[in-house]
Amino acid sequence: SSSVDISALRIKYKEPKDIFHESSIEVKEPFHLFRKWFDEACSTPEIIEPNAMCLATATRDAFPSARFVLLKDITDQGFTFFTNYESRKAQELAENPNVALAFYWLPLRRSVRIEGTAERIPGAESAAYFHQRPRASQIGALASPQSRPIPSRDFLDQKERAIKEELGPDGEVPLPNWGGYLVRPAAVEFWQGQTNRLHDRIRFRKPAGPEEAVDGEVLHQGENGWIYERLAP
């Protein structure tokens, strides 16, 4: 067993003066607020990799898996990441496009959860991004049969050396079966921690249907087709 008393691990979050109020949201839709929070995360020295996010996928039979990937673009359409199209995540996305993303920026006591569907971006966009990556990263992507069992670490090192010898110092690295996915969100939840554990949770989502009533008390009309609501922690 661990020598650490795990049940006693606890940190302070925000204080009452720092409550996350709906009135502080300048534009009532998720992309504007995400960019604001993301910019603050990028400006916080303690956050080394602000674009790291947990990506959860599931098989056709709803068996889940999760891993960390890097956000590489954010537009009003959604969130983009890149991967090997023969990886486990890609195989699961081919069976079931429903995904979830989660960001956690501890120094800011903030998290963002995203639920939606993933689709491949155009091949030309994937190729353009691939060839602007560092050369070592391009070669690594070509060398690695991602998610497949391999005999040893030396197997990868040998493949990398062989590719370098074949291409020489200036040869263009061919694009492997690799590219981007765009996650189109249906719901985006913004969480900010409070020390008293009465955390702030504000969720933007698309309406469930035309019959869903916006009452202005619990459910509020947002902008660009979004509605929003506060959730109990």
Side-chain angles (χ1 to χ4, degrees), residues 49 51 53 70-74 79-82 129 133:
E49 206 164 33
N51 60 331
M53 59 185 186
L70 297 177
L71 175 70
K72 286 300 178 179
D73 194 20
I74 167 65
F79 306 82
T80 298
F81 68 92
F82 291 84
Y129 173 72
R133 302 175 83 207

Side-chain angles (χ1 to χ4, degrees), residues 58-64 95-96:
T59 64
R60 183 184 294 108
D61 300 324
F63 189 87
E95 297 179 5
N96 181 351

Side-chain angles (χ1 to χ4, degrees), residues 37-188:
W37 279 24
F38 185 74
D39 287 349
E40 291 181 28
C42 290
S43 300
T44 302
E46 297 88 348
I47 301 176
I48 298 173
E49 206 164 33
N51 60 331
M53 59 185 186
C54 183
L55 165 68
T57 58
T59 64
R60 183 184 294 108
D61 300 324
F63 189 87
S65 63
R67 77 290 291 160
F68 284 88
V69 297
L70 297 177
L71 175 70
K72 286 300 178 179
D73 194 20
I74 167 65
T75 68
D76 288 348
Q77 299 301 309
F79 306 82
T80 298
F81 68 92
F82 291 84
T83 190
N84 187 307
Y85 283 151
E86 297 176 3
S87 63
R88 176 179 175 179
K89 69 179 82 65
Q91 292 173 3
E92 292 181 357
L93 289 171
E95 297 179 5
N96 181 351
N98 296 309
V99 300
L101 305 173
F103 295 83
Y104 185 44
W105 300 311
L106 175 59
L108 296 176
R109 276 49 173 180
R110 285 175 174 171
S111 177
V112 180
R113 298 172 56 197
I114 299 158
E115 298 170 11
T117 56
E119 60 190 54
R120 291 191 184 190
I121 67 174
E125 294 181 18
S126 292
Y129 173 72
F130 179 80
H131 289 299
Q132 75 181 34
R133 302 175 83 207
R135 183 176 177 82
S137 298
Q138 295 180 45
I139 292 174
L142 184 61
S144 176
Q146 192 174 120
S147 300
R148 299 180 187 175
I150 57 176
S152 65
R153 169 69 200 209
D154 190 53
F155 170 86
L156 289 177
D157 295 336
Q158 289 179 8
K159 287 198 67 176
E160 181 189 41
R161 285 194 295 270
I163 292 171
K164 288 180 176 179
E165 290 173 3
E166 179 182 351
L167 296 177
D170 301 315
E172 181 176 291
V173 181
L175 178 69
N177 192 11
W178 183 100
Y181 285 93
L182 172 68
V183 176
R184 296 184 182 272
V188 183

